[in-house]
Every structure is written in C-alpha cells, then in structure tokens.
Amino acid sequence: MEQLFSKITKADTYATYVNPQWVKLMDLLEMNVQYEHCTGAELLTKDGRRILDFLSCNCVMNMGHNHPAIIQAVKSELDLRGPTMLPNHVPPMAGLVAEKLCHQAGGKLHRVYFCSSGSEGIESVIKFARAHTKRSGIIHAQGSFHGLTCGALSLMDNHFWKGSFGPFLPDVSTVSFNDLEALETKLAARTAAAFIVEPIQAEAGVRLPQENYLREAQRLCERYGTLFVLDEVQTGMWRCGPFLAAQHYGVEPDMVVLAKALSGGLVPIGAVLMSEKISNSVFGSIERCMIHTSTFSENALGLRAAAASLDVLERERLGEKGRIQGEKLRHKLSGALTGFEMVKEIRGLGMMTGIEFQAPRRFGIKVSFETFKAIHPGMFGQVLVMRLFADHGIIAQICGNNFMVLKITPPLIITDEQIDHFVTSIKTVLRQMHDSDISWADAVGIARRALLSKMF
Ligand SMILES: Cc1ncc(COP(=O)(O)O)c(C=O)c1O
C-alpha cells in the first residue's frame, strides 16, 4: 500500500497516464504542490505550508474540508455493509434526503431525482422540461456555465468550452442576462420548454440579477407556458444565505438543480428538485418509473453524505454565518481596495463575492497590462492568482467565463482572522501590480515558459 501511495503521489505518473497539459499548467503557475491534510478552510502541504482555501472547489466545501460529522456518517454507512447499490430496492435514505431537500426548498418543489453531478442534473432538467411541456426549445442566459456534457454545453455560449465539440442540441437560444425584453421575445414564440438560468451567474463574473429580474422572468415564463428552471449548483446549499438563492430573490422555480456542496465534497451526488406535476409527466406510470435514471443515482454512500451535509449546514447555521461573514468580507474589501484604479467593482451575495478589474489608465502599467492581455486574456488574473498563492498562501480563482473577475468563495465557516488575512494579502498584491514592475515580471515568466511549451 505504501508503495502504491508513493507511486500515485508522483505528478509524472499523472502526466503520463491522465493529463500532461494540466500538470504543465500547474507547474507554470507554480501551484503544483502536494496537499497532505485538509480541514475547514486550511490545507496543509507536504512541505509544511499552510494554504487558505478561498475557492472551496467552486462552492463544494461550504462546510469546510473533511467535516468530521460527514466523514463519520460515510464511515458508518460503510460499516453497515448494507445495500450500497441495489437496483431492485426502494432505498429509504433517498426518501429522507428528498424530504429534507423539499422541506428546505419549499414552493412548488415536492419531488427529487438524484444524480451524480451538476451536468447530469442539467441533462435531466432538459429532458424533464421537454417531457412536461411537449416542447423542444431551451432558452439560456449569455455567459452561463451549466457543465461540460453535450446537453449542458449546448446551453453555454463561450466558444472556448464548445470549440470542437459540436454539433450541439438544436432549438437552443441565448438571451442576455437581465434582459427581460429579449426573454419575452423568445418566450412569445411558445416553443420553449424551459428557461434555464443561474440566479447569480458565478462563472460569468459573479453577475447579480437586477432587482425584479428573476421575479419578472418567472412571471413571463408562466405567461408563455415555459418552465422556469434555476441552476443552483453553485448558489444553492446556503452559499448565498438562504438554502436557495431563489429564496433570497423571492421566486418559486419549477425545477432546481443542486450538486457540489450536497455531499460535503466526499461522494459525488446531485439532485433535481421539481414539482409533482413535472415528476408525473416524466415518471407517471409503472411502465415509465425508470424512464430516466443512472447507475449511481440513489447510491447509499452519496445519500448518507448528503443527509449528513444537510444536517451540518442546518445545525451549524452556516447559511446565516456565511451571510454575515460575506458582508464583512465585502465591506473590508471595499475599504481596502478603494483607490486602486484597476478595481472596478466589488459585488456579491452571501459568501459569493466577485472583484471586477479593469484596464489601468496610467501609461506605464497600461502598456504592460495590454501587452500581456494580448498574449492571453487571462494573464492579469493568473498573475494575481499566482501571487496570492505563492506569497500569501491563498487559493482563489478567476471566473471561467470572465477573466477580469476574481471569484471569492471560501467555506461558510471562514473566520474574521482568515478574512483579514485575505484582505491584507490582496491589497498587497494589487499595490505591487499598480506600483511596480515586480508582479508584471511574473507575467513575463509565465508568457516565456508558456510559449516555450507551446501552451498558447
Ligand atoms: C452553475 C453550474 N452548473 C453546473 C455545473 C456542472 O456541475 P458538475 O461539474 O458537477 O458537472 C457547474 C460546474 O462548475 C456550475 O458551476
């Protein structure tokens, strides 16, 4: 076992058998370190560094890494030696978790379909919406991120992700986020089965909905017979304060997709919450009771982890704690970063925050900024991420569909001291990037090494 472990921790084995380009990128950004022990918001590396997680694996670790209660639940499920997966069986734990989810969600959401990831949840809502409405069209919002399977990818407009993977689903149309007129024009054709939207577009740059946007969108969907579906894969599970961001914005979706934080980062699981009517349209007879499923749907370990995660988040009141700490974080960031010309806006809800940057106006740094942006549009953000990691031991990430926004999504348990460390660190890095060429030298280094390894 020891021998096997020492072999699997070697990055070169990964590069040989899994993905050499990923290893190259991690090396390039000087982030290719081995983690030994992760608890709460802290990650200990093999060489003794303490790293603070301000990303939470894109909103997976809402309760922090390796929460002891969730680990215990998974261990005891394994010790039971019960039916981990049994096709001819009604698993009581699925009923219990579904009941908890529906109870927390409220509104029209009375039935649950379990799956194993966010993308699979999106694939499911596309099918369910079509079965229920007998229409084929799907409307999505520009800038969205819904996952990288073919159906989910069809609902995204960023060419980077779609590239060579087409053709995609027909009858899909895109509207600008926050544009109700465009939405109504599409809906008025009465061919759309669903409007699928993230309540806050995380990867588009932590884009918040305008006052009334989601409520009006729901009303318009109802008027034209289209289902109003929320992708809460990042925003749900108390990330934005309440259980669902929908509850903050006062909307009642017909379906909601959850995944990521649903099982505390330990076992893959996702869930589609829907109305009884939709569920009946899909699974409405004995003949159709398994018309949509997948092998790991309702597996005992995932469900047990989900039950424990829901318990922890609720019992420790992490939504409320995250909301308070998130407001503190934005308040402190606003105080610390005013005056930096590259900082355009700090925005967010609950424990999801974005810092939007803009091109500098001063000649000296403007030239460096534009030069490196021309090499790769994400260069500015990557330098920032690199410096935060290398000099301050912080993991953060720029948004997948907007390289000018740093997404800050630490676990909901983040402390005042950890927030202070983050704020001081980002202020220091930004000061360096505004005042000197030191940080831009990193960009030169990245560009040189990347060009040498033909990455751009
Ligand atoms: C909003 C949103 N929806 C769907 C997905 C896809 O989830 P998964 O990666 O679990 O397939 C993601 C993944 O990051 C996401 O952020």
Side-chain angles (χ1 to χ4, degrees):
M1 191 66 191
E2 267 304 299
Q3 254 178 349
L4 176 69
F5 190 70
S6 74
K7 205 169 171 192
I8 59 175
T9 55
K10 273 184 157 181
D12 56 355
T13 318
Y14 184 99
T16 307
Y17 293 106
V18 185
N19 184 344
Q21 301 304 331
W22 177 247
V23 178
K24 270 190 200 168
L25 179 65
M26 287 294 98
D27 286 343
L28 191 68
L29 299 176
E30 296 167 18
M31 294 176 86
N32 190 3
V33 297
Q34 292 297 319
Y35 295 95
E36 209 162 52
H37 198 83
C38 308
T39 35
E42 282 190 356
L43 321 175
L44 273 188
T45 68
K46 232 175 170 176
D47 57 4
R49 284 184 73 198
R50 197 175 288 274
I51 306 289
L52 259 186
D53 185 359
F54 266 71
L55 181 63
S56 303
C57 195
N58 291 308
C59 305
V60 170
M61 306 296 175
N62 289 7
M63 59 298 283
H65 290 255
N66 291 314
H67 193 288
I70 308 172
I71 291 197
Q72 192 48 51
V74 170
K75 275 186 180 168
S76 53
E77 184 63 40
L78 287 170
D79 286 342
L80 275 179
R81 306 280 196 276
T84 54
M85 282 167 56
L86 206 58
N88 306 324
H89 171 233
V90 177
M93 189 56 81
L96 287 176
V97 176
E99 184 187 31
K100 265 175 189 280
L101 290 170
C102 293
H103 175 75
Q104 286 293 347
K108 307 173 194 167
L109 304 168
H110 295 302
R111 290 265 173 91
V112 178
Y113 167 74
F114 290 104
C115 52
S116 307
S117 70
S119 313
E120 205 190 326
I122 294 292
E123 299 294 330
S124 308
V125 292
I126 294 171
K127 284 179 69 179
F128 296 175
R130 287 177 164 180
H132 183 69
T133 61
K134 306 199 168 39
R135 294 176 179 180
S136 61
I138 306 286
I139 306 173
H140 73 95
Q142 185 258 331
S144 57
F145 191 101
H146 293 300
L148 300 180
T149 52
C150 263
L153 205 48
S154 303
L155 313 185
M156 289 164 49
D157 53 291
N158 187 342
H159 180 73
F160 171 76
W161 300 112
K162 298 178 91 163
S164 53
F165 298 113
F168 295 101
L169 287 183
D171 300 341
V172 169
S173 44
T174 314
V175 291
S176 293
F177 189 67
N178 277 327
D179 186 342
L180 287 165
E181 230 177 274
L183 178 63
E184 181 158 21
T185 305
K186 299 283 183 200
L187 290 171
R190 293 184 186 271
T191 53
F195 172 44
I196 301 179
V197 66
E198 300 154 81
I200 296 172
Q201 290 193 303
E203 296 310 320
V206 189
R207 256 194 224 162
L208 301 175
Q210 279 162 9
E211 178 81 19
N212 265 350
Y213 172 64
L214 293 172
R215 260 200 300 268
E216 277 303 297
Q218 180 189 334
R219 195 182 57 80
L220 289 173
C221 284
E222 277 162 11
R223 180 189 296 170
Y224 294 105
T226 296
L227 298 178
F228 178 60
V229 180
L230 293 183
D231 176 345
E232 295 237 25
V233 168
Q234 289 206 40
T235 53
M237 299 297 294
W238 291 278
R239 168 58 55 182
C240 296
F243 175 62
L244 299 176
Q247 292 160 334
H248 173 85
Y249 292 111
V251 287
E252 291 193 358
D254 297 296
M255 286 192 272
V256 163
V257 182
L258 291 173
K260 292 201 188 278
L262 184 50
S263 63
L266 291 174
V267 190
I269 190 166
V272 174
L273 281 57
M274 69 196 110
S275 69
E276 213 173 309
K277 279 185 185 163
I278 296 172
S279 170
N280 288 340
S281 300
V282 181
F283 302 102
S285 64
I286 286 188
E287 195 190 5
R288 289 178 64 89
C289 67
M290 296 290 277
I291 197 77
H292 182 78
T293 185
S294 73
T295 307
F296 281 86
S297 169
E298 300 179 14
N299 78 84
L301 220 49
L303 288 167
R304 191 62 187 265
S309 299
L310 287 162
D311 263 359
V312 164
L313 286 157
E314 211 179 333
R315 200 178 53 237
E316 297 184 12
R317 300 175 50 76
L318 294 186
E320 182 57 7
K321 283 188 185 155
R323 188 188 65 73
I324 293 168
Q325 293 303 80
E327 276 169 17
K328 243 185 237 175
L329 171 69
R330 283 186 291 282
H331 179 72
K332 289 186 174 184
L333 281 172
S334 301
L337 304 187
T338 41
F340 285 118
E341 60 173 292
M342 273 194 266
V343 176
K344 186 175 173 190
E345 193 182 27
I346 294 157
R347 57 176 174 261
L349 181 72
M351 194 42 92
M352 180 180 281
T353 297
I355 304 178
E356 182 166 5
F357 298 99
Q358 60 191 351
R361 289 180 298 275
R362 265 184 302 140
F363 185 72
I365 41 174
K366 191 179 168 78
V367 172
S368 309
F369 180 90
E370 295 298 345
T371 309
F372 292 116
K373 196 172 169 206
I375 298 171
H376 190 278
M379 189 70 90
F380 166 77
Q382 284 305 359
V383 171
L384 191 71
V385 166
M386 241 180 110
R387 287 271 60 92
L388 279 173
F389 185 79
D391 300 342
H392 304 277
I394 288 170
I395 292 183
Q397 193 172 291
I398 45 175
C399 296
N401 287 337
N402 187 341
F403 296 152
M404 291 302 278
V405 177
L406 186 76
K407 193 176 78 178
I408 309 160
T409 48
L412 307 179
I413 50 155
I414 206 80
T415 64
D416 287 353
E417 294 73 41
Q418 289 166 332
I419 287 178
D420 288 344
H421 176 62
F422 178 80
V423 174
T424 311
S425 304
I426 192 155
K427 185 174 177 180
T428 307
V429 173
L430 284 174
R431 185 178 294 132
Q432 286 171 345
M433 294 181 91
H434 278 74
D435 292 349
S436 75
D437 290 336
I438 301 170
S439 299
W440 294 107
D442 282 337
V444 178
I446 298 180
R448 190 181 297 126
R449 280 176 277 145
L451 288 171
L452 280 176
S453 53
K454 297 193 173 59
M455 284 180 74
F456 297 153

